[in-house]
Amino acid sequence: MKLSIVSTLYKSESYVAEFCERCELAAQSLVGDSYEIILVNDGSPDRSLSLALKAQKTLSNLVVLDLSRNFGHHKAIMAGLHESSGDKIFMIDCDLEVAPESLIDFWNSFEHDASADVIVATVESKGNSFFKGLLSNAFYFIYNKLVDLKLDNKELATRLMNRSYLDALLQYPEYELYLGGLLHDVGFKQVNILVSRTSNKVSSYSLKKRVDLALTALFSFSSKPSLYIFYSGIFFSAISVGYSAFIISQKLISGRPLLGWTSLMAAICVIGGITISSIGIIGIYTSKIFFEVKNRPLYHIKKIYRHGN
């Protein structure tokens, strides 16, 4: 039984040495020397790569993938998963938000439920600020309304997977990648385990990155926005026909047209705004298709560092 531990490096210089050491101890307690730790350097601007290579001098089972630039967290994780060779694969962030020693609890959960394919980390609370919590809850509410695939707001990316599940996950060739959705879309039996957060590190995701990721999540897994455009078009067309019939009837009865410049302008602004938003939604879908049909690679690996070379 071989174990793979996969994580990414981005602005991680404060954690990488301790993370590697703690992962090594946890892995050795479970499988001896039959393990590998794969760190993917996602174009980190700090000393994360050099510190990982320094740790590699004492950790013979450490593999470092250096990507050619920053491709984003989800694509970097996929790079590490593609490189992994373990029978069980532990995916975890190296920021120590979840203790590497929790691997033992995940492993024990697998032992207790032989039919499980994935053990997923959940928390009682993510500890976000009020504003971030509000945005997060709004995203998951909208996502679960628009997408048939339901996501749990309390789940983390940390999880222990078996090889059959991972092989199925790696069959997804998507360039517009939302890993959170794919991890559930692949199916299999997924069991949740409660973990404690040992840190509240400030995320490197800016508000713009969060919005971009939210749009990718919604438009990669649901066609309902375009369907709602169709329904809204029918709705406003029906209103227009009804209002036109009302104006004509008033003209025939009273002999003079109805006055109402304010209401007319309000109607124009509302319909104009909906029209522009609808075009924008169609444009987003078109752009997603544009990037997918190019069939570009998810990432480029600049170099793979292994112990001794």
Side-chain angles (χ1 to χ4, degrees):
M1 176 70 69
K2 184 176 181 180
L3 170 67
S4 297
I5 300 174
V6 178
S7 188
T8 61
L9 300 176
Y10 187 79
K11 297 182 179 179
S12 308
E13 62 181 6
S14 302
Y15 320 103
V16 59
E18 181 181 354
F19 174 80
C20 291
E21 180 180 350
R22 292 168 66 177
C23 282
E24 178 190 34
L25 293 174
Q28 286 181 340
S29 70
L30 294 170
V31 295
D33 290 329
S34 183
Y35 72 92
E36 62 182 359
I37 302 172
I38 300 176
L39 298 181
V40 184
N41 177 42
D42 189 26
S44 182
D46 60 7
R47 298 185 302 133
S48 296
L49 176 60
S50 60
L51 291 174
L53 295 179
K54 182 179 179 181
Q56 193 179 53
K57 294 178 180 179
T58 56
L59 299 177
S60 59
N61 293 13
L62 177 60
V63 179
V64 181
L65 273 63
D66 185 22
L67 301 187
S68 61
R69 64 171 177 84
N70 176 250
F71 287 89
H73 179 250
H74 291 197
K75 293 179 180 179
I77 279 288
M78 290 297 283
L81 295 177
H82 273 283
E83 186 64 25
S84 67
S85 59
D87 302 296
K88 283 188 170 60
I89 303 89
F90 188 50
M91 186 172 72
I92 182 173
D93 288 335
C94 76
D95 57 8
L96 303 179
E97 179 184 44
V98 176
E101 294 81 6
S102 66
L103 166 63
I104 298 173
D105 296 326
F106 283 80
W107 192 275
N108 290 335
S109 294
F110 249 131
E111 296 296 322
H112 291 153
D113 189 348
S115 64
D117 298 291
V118 191
I119 308 297
V120 183
T122 60
V123 291
E124 292 182 352
S125 172
K126 288 190 174 180
N128 291 324
S129 65
F130 175 79
F131 179 67
K132 287 184 178 179
L134 187 65
L135 290 179
S136 177
N137 291 333
F139 165 73
Y140 280 97
F141 176 80
I142 295 172
Y143 185 93
N144 289 332
K145 289 293 183 182
L146 294 179
V147 181
D148 295 332
L149 189 71
K150 306 304 178 187
L151 298 184
D152 186 350
N153 191 15
K154 295 183 179 180
E155 285 187 359
L156 301 179
T158 304
R159 59 197 63 213
L160 181 63
M161 307 168 278
N162 63 22
R163 172 51 61 176
S164 59
Y165 170 87
L166 179 60
D167 288 341
L169 176 65
L170 295 180
Q171 292 178 23
Y172 287 83
E174 299 178 20
Y175 184 83
E176 293 293 318
L177 180 65
Y178 176 58
L179 188 58
L182 294 184
L183 290 169
H184 282 272
D185 188 70
V186 71
F188 290 78
K189 183 178 180 180
Q190 305 193 24
V191 177
N192 292 79
I193 181 175
L194 188 64
V195 300
S196 300
R197 299 179 68 188
T198 56
S199 74
N200 288 309
K201 181 184 77 70
V202 177
S203 173
S204 59
Y205 273 61
S206 64
L207 180 60
K208 181 181 181 303
K209 285 184 178 180
R210 290 176 183 272
V211 172
D212 289 344
L213 183 61
L215 291 176
T216 297
L218 291 173
F219 291 103
S220 295
F221 284 90
S222 177
S223 61
K224 288 183 179 179
S226 60
L227 187 62
Y228 292 154
I229 290 175
F230 172 73
Y231 288 139
S232 65
I234 292 178
F235 174 74
F236 282 102
S237 295
I239 290 178
S240 299
V241 171
Y243 188 65
S244 298
F246 175 71
I247 292 175
I248 293 172
S249 65
Q250 290 296 311
K251 173 66 175 176
L252 295 175
I253 294 171
S254 64
R256 62 178 183 274
L258 290 177
L259 298 177
W261 183 87
T262 303
S263 60
L264 178 62
M265 291 304 298
I268 291 174
C269 290
V270 169
I271 295 175
I274 292 174
T275 301
I276 294 173
S277 299
S278 301
I279 294 173
I281 290 174
I282 295 172
I284 292 174
Y285 276 115
T286 304
S287 68
K288 300 297 182 186
I289 296 170
F290 173 73
F291 284 110
E292 289 293 343
V293 298
K294 283 176 176 288
N295 199 27
R296 291 177 175 176
L298 283 179
Y299 52 82
H300 291 289
I301 299 176
K302 184 177 180 180
K303 186 173 182 179
I304 299 178
Y305 296 89
R306 302 184 187 275
H307 185 74
N309 58 336

